[in-house]
Amino acid sequence: VLTQPDHAWTGERGRGDATLARRALPPPSHGDDSTMILVCGTDGFVGSWAGPIERVQVNGTKVKIQGPLLGHLAEAGFVETEVYKY
């Protein structure tokens, strides 16, 4: 899926959503640990797909915390144990 494809692009256009996640990704594992979705990208991309990564100070060092699962992946039925945000 491309948001700004050139005229030769024959694939999907637009932005991803929960429907795309259900179609393109393995199904949620419902606790059997067979599915893990890794989300990497800009803060906006990660936020829209999985919710924001929280950043906190611990002993003077910035540490990333996963935070709650939100966004398209939550809407598609995934749970926090099935998604890791970079």
Side-chain angles (χ1 to χ4, degrees), residues 63-78:
V63 177
K64 292 181 180 180
I65 297 174
Q66 290 295 298
L69 178 63
L70 303 168
H72 304 314
L73 294 176
E75 186 181 338
F78 293 94

Side-chain angles (χ1 to χ4, degrees), residues 27-36 77-83:
S29 63
H30 303 292
D32 74 5
D33 294 332
S34 65
T35 299
M36 176 59 70
F78 293 94
V79 296
E80 289 178 0
T81 58
E82 298 172 319
V83 177

Side-chain angles (χ1 to χ4, degrees), residues 34-49:
S34 65
T35 299
M36 176 59 70
I37 307 299
L38 306 175
V39 183
C40 178
T42 64
D43 286 347
F45 179 85
V46 173
S48 67
W49 278 94

Side-chain angles (χ1 to χ4, degrees), residues 4-65:
Q4 298 177 349
D6 65 22
H7 68 280
W9 177 252
T10 60
E12 294 185 54
R13 297 167 184 262
R15 296 195 176 269
D17 57 19
T19 300
L20 174 67
R22 287 185 205 100
R23 187 175 69 243
L25 298 173
S29 63
H30 303 292
D32 74 5
D33 294 332
S34 65
T35 299
M36 176 59 70
I37 307 299
L38 306 175
V39 183
C40 178
T42 64
D43 286 347
F45 179 85
V46 173
S48 67
W49 278 94
I53 294 175
E54 298 176 13
R55 292 172 173 86
V56 297
Q57 289 280 340
V58 176
N59 297 325
T61 302
K62 285 185 181 178
V63 177
K64 292 181 180 180
I65 297 174

